[in-house]
Amino acid sequence: ELSDGQVKFTATLLSAVSASSRVPAEIITTPIEYSCVDVAIDAEVSNKVLPPGNVSSAKVTLKHKKLDEVKLTVNQKNIDGTYTEILQDVQVNLPADDSEFTVDLSNGFNAESGKTYIFSFTGYVGGIPVCRDNCCVVGGYVLNNN
């Protein structure tokens, strides 16, 4: 049920759990309420191919709605399909419009040719993460004219 920005539903524990003598009868069926937050984020990294070497900034376009702050995390995809976090909680200034701007990555990271990187932009309201947008970029190659 959705009413006045509140989602209300009743959770019922599975019989295997509710039959346990350790679960008090009053919590077998429990009403739950959540507040809805109307937020949005749409991020785009302008350069989908990073030059190999140190990346200390990135040009991005960021559209947002009702967010207090945005933070960026960068992960590198490993050969086995897992990810390694290489930058965490980089503060992203909230733009006033949809224009492209530069995000300072402080010391940055070393982009490697052929590697895949995920730029994850996380939107926060009241210090709580509420939405995320991921952008995939790759480390490029330098062509040598011999």
Side-chain angles (χ1 to χ4, degrees):
E1 172 186 342
L2 176 62
S3 174
D4 295 326
Q6 296 282 316
V7 176
K8 299 177 184 179
F9 61 94
T10 300
T12 303
L13 297 177
L14 297 174
S15 60
V17 175
S18 62
S20 169
S21 61
R22 295 184 182 171
V23 177
E26 62 270 11
I27 66 167
I28 290 173
T29 303
T30 304
I32 300 172
E33 291 186 23
Y34 288 97
S35 295
C36 295
V37 181
D38 184 18
V39 298
I41 188 170
D42 183 18
E44 196 65 42
V45 177
S46 302
N47 188 359
K48 301 286 189 240
V49 180
L50 301 172
N54 186 265
V55 178
S56 59
S57 65
K59 291 189 181 287
V60 302
T61 304
L62 180 67
K63 298 175 186 177
H64 61 91
K65 180 179 177 184
K66 296 185 180 177
L67 297 175
D68 297 336
E69 64 179 328
V70 172
K71 293 180 182 178
L72 169 65
T73 298
V74 179
N75 291 288
Q76 177 181 306
K77 186 174 183 179
N78 301 315
I79 200 161
D80 64 358
T82 61
Y83 290 87
T84 300
E85 191 173 87
I86 54 178
L87 286 178
Q88 181 181 16
D89 292 337
V90 175
Q91 196 68 42
V92 177
N93 294 327
L94 293 176
D97 57 25
D98 298 340
S99 300
E100 181 181 78
F101 67 100
T102 301
V103 174
D104 179 11
L105 302 176
S106 288
N107 295 330
F109 65 95
N110 190 38
E112 298 178 44
S113 298
K115 295 281 187 175
T116 300
Y117 300 91
I118 305 298
F119 282 56
S120 295
F121 294 86
T122 304
Y124 291 80
V125 174
I128 299 170
V130 293
C131 55
R132 173 175 294 143
D133 194 11
N134 294 329
C135 302
C136 184
V137 298
V138 296
Y141 293 88
V142 174
L143 298 176
N144 292 324
N145 293 330
N146 292 331

